[in-house]
Amino acid sequence: MTDRTVTDRTRRIALVGAPIDMGASQRGTLMGPAALRTAGLATLLESLDFEVADYGDLSVAEMRDFTDKPPAQANHYREIQRWTRLLSRRGYEIAKTGALPIFLGGDHTLSMGSVNAMARHWQERGRELFVLWLDAHADYNTPETTITANMHGMSAAFLCGEPGLDRLLGDDPRASITPDRLDLFGARSIDKLEKELMRARRIRVVDMRQIDEFGVAVLIRRVIERVKASNGVLHVSFDVDFLDPSVAPGVGTTVPGGATYREAHLIMELLHDSAVVGSVDIVELNPFLDERGRTARTAVELIGSLFGQQITDRPTPSNAIAPGE
């Protein structure tokens, strides 16, 4: 099913702000979308010859509450339920226009809606969505396994169809991905029960030791090859705490030993060259904890690499980042 050429599809980007911070214990990520805009995200993308439409920040003020009973271990469930439904609906509508969505967070509960939207969109087109989770944490808890009850730690589990948050979307379609289409990359903090659940589901995890041993190029190419082998589409969910705190201090849950500035850029450059990326999240940026906008600027620079910014002109398999249909 083809309604646009690949070139037309891939030169248009839609920015969608989701100022959410109740999914985490540290407040402040609601300022993330504004910080990314201030750091020049749209201007950079336009300099790379993309047509950029900024839909502004979404608001859940008009979303009605459901009457389902919230899980016992899910903080701020009702507010996050509203955000998940709204992001799923709006993300799906934007994807249908042919633009490539970039969701600006906000904490990682954003992905419960954004990934659902993109999975639904691509399922209807007969293609599988894969998710690359660039994060210090696995976020594969459920209300049964969680220690903190913070819902940003349940987002990856939700998108893989794990039980416990079954009414989060109400009667809206839930388009889960299978666990074998999730790649956790850069993990260095995983809870005990979370780890057991991930082992049972055979979730692929690239931790920092593997990155130290094999390097990011080898490991990210394995992800890309699996996506290409299935004629799939990749959603990149980029939590800025994937980076080492020395590079990105503006996050609420810093974990030492993260990816270096150069490793992160190489990942983004290889993803650009692969032409498999169809949507992106940028999450957990907390400007309140940042140092003069350093983390926001770094995130914007990395997105620049993801969309083709480079020092010298190098031949690549394709100048387009998003897949055709």
Side-chain angles (χ1 to χ4, degrees):
M1 170 175 185
T2 304
D3 54 359
R4 289 179 175 83
T5 66
V6 174
T7 302
D8 181 39
R9 163 178 287 280
T10 58
R11 303 318 296 179
R12 293 189 295 120
I13 291 174
L15 304 181
V16 187
I20 316 168
D21 72 353
M22 72 286 297
S25 56
Q26 178 75 52
R27 306 305 285 266
T29 56
L30 61 82
M31 298 183 287
L36 291 165
R37 292 186 178 101
T38 302
L41 178 60
T43 301
L44 174 59
L45 292 170
E46 288 168 347
S47 75
L48 297 171
D49 296 326
F50 288 93
E51 178 185 331
V52 179
D54 192 339
Y55 286 77
D57 288 351
L58 301 179
S59 170
V60 294
E62 301 300 319
M63 296 292 289
R64 66 181 180 89
D65 280 340
F66 285 153
T67 58
D68 59 309
K69 183 179 179 182
Q73 289 287 95
N75 294 338
H76 304 289
Y77 172 84
R78 197 63 72 200
E79 296 95 324
I80 292 167
Q81 184 179 53
R82 291 198 295 267
W83 274 109
T84 303
R85 288 158 55 211
L86 178 61
L87 278 160
S88 181
R89 291 176 185 180
R90 291 295 288 131
Y92 174 72
E93 291 167 1
I94 290 167
K96 287 201 299 182
T97 71
L100 186 153
I102 301 180
F103 300 90
L104 312 179
D107 67 56
H108 222 152
T109 55
L110 175 159
S111 300
M112 295 179 174
S114 64
V115 173
N116 192 76
M118 299 311 300
R120 180 184 173 197
H121 172 76
W122 289 110
Q123 282 175 14
E124 290 179 356
R125 283 150 183 76
R127 299 183 68 182
E128 294 182 338
L129 184 75
F130 291 72
V131 176
L132 176 63
W133 203 261
L134 298 172
D135 199 330
H137 309 86
D139 294 340
Y140 210 87
N141 273 300
T142 69
E144 288 290 319
T145 67
T146 182
I147 297 171
T148 65
N150 292 328
M151 289 184 66
H152 71 159
M154 306 179 195
S155 42
F158 175 80
L159 65 90
C160 286
E162 294 293 345
L165 298 173
D166 305 292
R167 292 297 299 165
L168 199 61
L169 284 162
D171 295 325
D172 289 3
R174 183 176 180 183
S176 301
I177 67 168
T178 53
D180 65 318
R181 286 189 269 135
L182 172 67
D183 279 271
L184 307 179
F185 204 96
R188 53 194 188 276
S189 177
I190 303 175
D191 299 333
K192 182 177 182 295
L193 293 179
E194 181 183 31
K195 186 184 296 184
E196 292 174 1
L197 179 59
M198 290 164 54
R199 186 181 297 117
R201 300 293 186 265
R202 298 184 177 180
I203 301 293
R204 290 189 183 90
V205 184
V206 169
D207 61 18
M208 291 309 299
R209 170 167 176 168
Q210 289 172 276
I211 288 174
D212 290 342
E213 282 195 77
F214 301 106
V216 294
V218 170
L219 298 168
I220 206 69
R221 284 189 176 113
R222 291 176 183 172
V223 176
I224 291 167
E225 287 165 5
R226 281 197 300 275
V227 178
K228 286 186 171 182
S230 297
N231 189 32
V233 184
L234 186 66
H235 177 94
V236 177
S237 198
F238 169 41
D239 185 326
V240 292
D241 75 17
F242 165 71
L243 302 166
D244 190 79
S246 64
V247 178
V251 297
T253 49
T254 56
V255 184
T260 67
Y261 182 82
R262 188 54 241 161
E263 285 172 334
H265 271 287
L266 180 56
I267 289 169
M268 297 303 187
E269 290 162 0
L270 292 171
L271 288 172
H272 169 262
D273 294 351
S274 74
V276 297
V277 177
S279 47
V280 180
D281 302 326
I282 311 171
V283 301
E284 300 289 353
L285 169 63
N286 190 329
F288 184 73
L289 304 173
D290 204 2
E291 298 173 359
R292 303 174 115 185
R294 183 153 67 100
T295 306
R297 290 196 303 273
T298 298
V300 168
E301 290 167 3
L302 289 168
I303 295 302
S305 290
L306 179 60
F307 284 88
Q309 187 177 45
Q310 55 190 32
I311 302 301
T312 59
D313 292 330
R314 293 186 304 275
T316 61
S318 171
N319 290 324
I321 190 166
E325 299 196 49

